[in-house]
Amino acid sequence: MSALRRKFGDDYQVVTTSSSGSGLQPQGPGQGPQQQLVPKKKRQRFVDKNGRCNVQHGNLGSETSRYLSDLFTTLVDLKWRWNLFIFILTYTVAWLFMASMWWVIAYTRGDLNKAHVGNYTPCVANVYNFPSAFLFFIETEATIGYGYRYITDKCPEGIILFLFQSILGSIVDAFLIGCMFIKMSQPKKRAETLMFSEHAVISMRDGKLTLMFRVGNLRNSHMVSAQIRCKLLKSRQTPEGEFLPLDQLELDVGFSTGADQLFLVSPLTICHVIDAKSPFYDLSQRSMQSEQFEIVVILEGIVETTGLLHMPLFTRKNQC
């Protein structure tokens, strides 16, 4: 069994078929020759390698209304397909509504029937039906300029609607275009050019047992005021008997000495000294391989080209 574990690692467990045919039963060393390996059920990460947190909010109830109170941030946080759908839907509904208002004014004044009378002055010239009213609205909203269709001074309700349309159009443009601009300028993709080492290692450095990993920047543009932090996510039970499923512990990577402030122009090695204050101090090599924990690395900095704050996440399970 030890030879099998050395060959396949701890991701598999040795099982055998019982003689009664009741299924697969775990076996210890020397308990029968008919053994096979089946993969263990892997634990899902709390934070994926791309920085996405695997957290789902449930049982919110009436708390969902809080998202609508900050509608702008809610729209920015939505996925791109929903943003594009809301963008197109809002403009389509607003355009159809305002075009309908122009058609209603022409209909109530009788302009649709008297448009071809020579001495009659309509509210909007050359508006005969809904498509022509829609085209007049598009010319007004897009500031293309009046030519064949134009508003006259004999229609006070049309002037009021024109002012309302200008105000409403400015609000919709500022809200939706601002939302799309903020979403496009988010520096999430900047994390694709920030590389972390595939594995973290524990070794002696300067006479101290140290947990180390590397980080590097592939772009020529710098990360201004770059700062790195590490969190250890591990379940634990308090002396009072309370179970904490995702307890967060801070890993010191140079906060006291200022080593956490990075000048990221070349690949750097981030070090965490395993001393009496470290959460790994009481763990042996075997217990570290069997324990379930996760290290989340947070690199925070300002993108030089855009001036936006960027905070990519990197996660590593207990694969040291």
Side-chain angles (χ1 to χ4, degrees):
M1 181 174 176
S2 59
L4 291 175
R5 288 195 178 277
R6 285 196 300 268
K7 181 178 181 181
F8 294 99
D10 291 332
D11 291 338
Y12 294 85
Q13 60 179 347
V14 180
V15 297
T16 184
T17 304
S18 63
S19 59
S20 61
S22 58
L24 299 177
Q25 302 293 334
Q27 294 290 318
Q31 292 187 4
Q34 297 181 353
Q35 295 179 342
Q36 58 182 356
L37 292 174
V38 297
K40 289 183 178 180
K41 184 178 179 181
K42 292 187 177 182
R43 182 181 178 184
Q44 188 178 16
R45 292 177 179 268
F46 181 73
V47 180
D48 288 335
K49 289 186 177 181
N50 58 4
R52 185 180 64 88
C53 297
N54 293 319
V55 178
Q56 294 182 355
H57 300 285
N59 299 325
L60 294 178
S62 60
E63 299 297 328
T64 54
S65 60
R66 295 178 179 269
Y67 290 98
L68 298 178
S69 62
D70 188 9
L71 187 59
F72 186 83
T73 305
T74 302
L75 291 178
V76 173
D77 290 339
L78 288 177
K79 295 183 178 180
W80 268 109
R81 57 178 177 266
W82 291 111
N83 272 104
L84 294 176
F85 174 76
I86 294 174
F87 187 88
I88 296 173
L89 180 64
T90 302
Y91 271 108
T92 302
V93 172
W95 289 353
L96 292 176
F97 172 75
M98 293 305 303
S100 300
M101 295 297 295
W102 285 110
W103 180 85
V104 168
I105 290 179
Y107 178 79
T108 55
R109 288 173 54 89
D111 295 347
L112 300 179
N113 300 324
K114 302 177 182 179
H116 298 285
V117 179
N119 58 354
Y120 179 74
T121 303
C123 181
V124 179
N126 301 311
V127 171
Y128 311 116
N129 47 27
F130 181 79
S132 59
F134 183 79
L135 290 176
F136 170 74
F137 163 75
I138 293 297
E139 292 177 7
T140 305
E141 181 66 22
T143 63
I144 297 175
Y146 297 116
Y148 185 65
R149 299 177 183 88
Y150 55 91
I151 189 172
T152 63
D153 57 353
K154 304 296 183 181
C155 182
E157 59 267 33
I159 297 175
I160 296 175
L161 181 60
F162 175 78
L163 296 176
F164 175 74
Q165 173 184 324
S166 301
I167 297 174
L168 180 62
S170 299
I171 294 175
V172 173
D173 290 342
F175 190 83
L176 292 181
I177 296 177
C179 176
M180 297 296 288
F181 175 77
I182 292 297
K183 190 169 183 63
M184 286 188 296
S185 60
Q186 283 183 328
K188 290 183 178 180
K189 293 300 181 180
R190 183 64 171 85
E192 301 294 334
T193 53
L194 291 174
M195 303 298 294
F196 290 84
S197 55
E198 185 66 23
H199 298 282
V201 298
I202 296 179
S203 178
M204 298 297 294
R205 169 171 283 196
D206 296 331
K208 300 178 182 178
L209 197 61
T210 307
L211 170 69
M212 295 176 287
F213 60 91
R214 302 190 77 193
V215 59
N217 182 18
L218 298 182
R219 290 188 180 273
N220 293 329
S221 59
H222 301 309
M223 293 285 293
V224 183
S225 302
Q227 182 179 10
I228 195 166
R229 292 180 293 132
C230 292
K231 293 287 185 178
L232 175 66
L233 304 180
K234 183 177 179 297
S235 302
R236 72 179 183 92
Q237 189 171 5
T238 64
E240 295 79 13
E242 181 183 2
F243 179 73
L244 304 177
L246 290 173
D247 189 34
Q248 298 185 12
L249 299 176
E250 187 77 21
L251 296 181
D252 187 7
V253 289
F255 177 78
S256 57
T257 61
D260 60 332
Q261 304 289 334
L262 306 181
F263 183 51
L264 200 59
V265 296
S266 62
L268 299 177
T269 301
I270 309 301
C271 301
H272 166 69
V273 178
I274 303 179
D275 53 11
K277 299 180 180 179
S278 172
F280 298 125
Y281 185 73
D282 296 329
L283 296 180
S284 62
Q285 180 180 359
R286 177 174 297 181
S287 61
M288 184 170 291
Q289 293 177 350
S290 60
E291 285 283 344
Q292 292 288 343
F293 63 86
E294 189 170 338
I295 300 175
V296 178
V297 181
I298 306 171
L299 177 60
E300 182 179 359
I302 300 175
V303 181
E304 183 185 28
T305 54
T306 61
L308 297 175
L309 182 64
H310 180 49
M311 190 178 65
L313 301 179
F314 171 76
T315 179
R316 173 60 58 193
K317 298 183 72 176
N318 51 338
Q319 298 177 356
C320 301

